[in-house]
């Protein structure tokens, strides 16, 4: 049973040679693609490409609930979310890795919860990311010699369009990086008591820095930096302890009304 799940973002459609591919049906429909099960350095891992095998799901159309539910159903306790992000600050440069520590939600119409009633839950999101996983991947990225930021606030926009200049200037007052997919993936994982870490690769300076970003540029820079994500997973995953000591599952004790 895989206890670690990876959700790959733009430009990340496979991170190992799958041993098995599983079609999972969930109460929320099918995940973006059948779940691939394989091993990274001897550790069993499940993988879902967030946008589908051929990037057919736009950020506002990703079946986030089905993806997270499917991983949970397969026994996953820890989710590693890989994302491509724009930079809102000079010092977060294209090619840098960010181990996100906070987010701001500017999405508008997604399915944000597994608890639509009659069971009602209010999950704490004060510290949305697993501290244990953040430490492992930050330290591993440092050891690998990558330019890595141990913190960063991710503003999640609805997309699929990129920001206007005015929006970009506003967002950069509060956040460091910008993307379209962290929410609701991170909060859904938390609602099931799973750990979640976001490994973000900076692909561009968002439009505040003058030149408008485009999708081709994001994919090109992601492809150039893909090896960093692969190395980080290969070296970081074997360092994840069997037992969790992070308290991420404790939210389940107090979130129900
Ligand atoms: C391909 S450009 C915009 C697209 O890239 C990012 O995807 P992901 O977060 O899944 O890596 C961004 O959020 C948008 O969905
Ligand atoms: N500048 C940007 N804005 C929103 N999502 C992105 N994903 C990658 N770069 C982005």
């Amino acid at each position: 049973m895989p206890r670690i799940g990876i959700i790959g973002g733009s430009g990340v459609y496979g991170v190992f040679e799958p041993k098995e591919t599983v079609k999972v049906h969930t109460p929320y429909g099918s995940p973006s693609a059948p779940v691939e099960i394989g091993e990274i350095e001897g550790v069993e891992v499940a993988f879902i490409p967030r946008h589908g095998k051929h990037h057919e799901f736009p950020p506002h159309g990703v079946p986030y609930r089905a993806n997270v539910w499917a991983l949970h159903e397969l026994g996953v306790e820890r989710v590693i979310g890989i994302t491509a992000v724009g930079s809102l600050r000079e010092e977060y440069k294209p090619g840098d890795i960010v181990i996100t520590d906070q987010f701001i939600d500017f999405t508008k119409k997604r399915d944000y919860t597994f608890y639509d009633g009659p069971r009602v839950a209010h999950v704490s999101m004060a510290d949305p990311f697993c501290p244990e996983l953040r430490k492992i991947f930050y330290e591993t990225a440092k050891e690998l010699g990558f330019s890595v930021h141990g913190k960063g606030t991710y503003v999640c926009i609805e997309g699929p369009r990129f920001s206007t200049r005015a929006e970009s200037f506003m967002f950069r007052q509060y956040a460091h990086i910008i993307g379209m997919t962290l929410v609701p993936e991170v909060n859904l994982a938390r609602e099931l008591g799973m750990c979640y870490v976001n490994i973000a690769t900076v692909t561009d300076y968002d439009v505040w820095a003058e030149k408008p970003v485009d999708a081709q540029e994001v994919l090109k820079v992601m492809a150039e930096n893909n090896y960093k994500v692969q190395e980080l997973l290969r070296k970081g995953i074997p360092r994840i302890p069997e037992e969790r000591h992070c308290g991420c599952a404790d939210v389940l004790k107090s979130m129900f009304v």
Side-chain angles (χ1 to χ4, degrees):
M1 226 166 59
R3 295 168 84 169
I4 296 171
I6 300 172
I7 302 182
S10 294
V12 182
Y13 304 107
V15 289
F16 50 72
E17 207 43 63
K19 279 187 174 164
E20 196 189 344
T21 301
V22 193
K23 277 195 177 162
V24 188
H25 298 285
T26 81
Y28 309 99
S30 298
S32 306
V35 186
E36 295 177 1
I37 316 273
E39 281 185 5
I40 293 185
E41 301 295 316
V43 181
E44 197 170 36
V45 176
F47 177 82
I48 299 179
R50 180 181 297 118
H51 298 281
K53 269 247 161 264
H54 309 286
H55 209 119
E56 61 270 33
F57 294 97
H60 60 287
V62 169
Y64 293 100
R65 291 198 293 189
N67 289 350
V68 173
W69 189 273
L71 291 178
H72 187 255
E73 189 108 322
L74 290 170
V76 168
E77 292 179 332
R78 293 176 165 111
V79 180
I80 303 168
I82 310 289
T83 59
V85 293
S87 168
L88 296 167
R89 305 288 176 98
E90 196 81 51
E91 65 276 20
Y92 286 63
K93 301 185 216 51
D96 286 2
I97 302 282
V98 187
I99 311 296
T100 310
D101 73 321
Q102 282 290 323
F103 72 82
I104 297 175
D105 180 12
F106 264 85
T107 64
K108 294 174 181 153
K109 51 173 182 98
R110 301 186 180 189
D111 291 318
Y112 297 96
T113 181
F114 291 113
Y115 301 102
D116 278 326
R119 200 160 190 217
V120 173
H122 301 282
V123 74
S124 168
M125 290 305 280
D127 299 301
F129 301 97
C130 174
E132 206 170 40
L133 293 180
R134 285 188 52 237
K135 186 166 186 291
I136 289 170
F137 285 106
Y138 175 66
E139 286 174 359
T140 305
K142 272 246 161 267
E143 270 176 45
L144 286 165
F146 300 154
S147 175
V148 57
H149 304 264
K151 287 183 173 192
T153 298
Y154 177 130
V155 62
C156 191
I157 57 172
E158 181 66 17
R161 69 170 179 83
F162 290 111
S163 305
T164 63
R165 291 186 199 278
E167 287 167 339
S168 192
F169 277 108
M170 179 185 74
F171 293 143
R172 79 189 289 265
Q173 313 284 316
Y174 308 104
H176 304 88
I177 51 176
I178 181 164
M180 305 178 191
T181 62
L182 182 65
V183 179
E185 200 169 273
V186 57
N187 39 290
L188 290 170
R190 203 163 181 77
E191 279 192 351
L192 297 181
M194 298 156 96
C195 298
Y196 188 98
V197 66
N198 175 230
I199 300 179
T201 301
V202 178
T203 52
D204 55 277
Y205 281 113
D206 198 43
V207 68
W208 63 271
E210 289 298 315
K211 191 176 84 54
V213 56
D214 66 55
Q216 289 305 319
E217 183 189 350
V218 170
L219 295 176
K220 178 174 161 281
V221 179
M222 201 60 202
E224 286 164 6
N225 288 280
N226 227 328
Y227 76 95
K228 293 182 188 165
V229 174
Q230 305 277 351
E231 281 188 37
L232 203 43
L233 294 174
R234 265 201 301 276
K235 200 155 183 174
I237 284 177
R239 295 179 172 181
I240 300 175
E242 281 268 316
E243 297 303 321
R244 299 197 282 171
H245 301 288
C246 49
C248 291
D250 292 348
V251 292
L252 299 181
K253 292 181 197 153
S254 56
M255 70 179 195
F256 296 106
V257 175

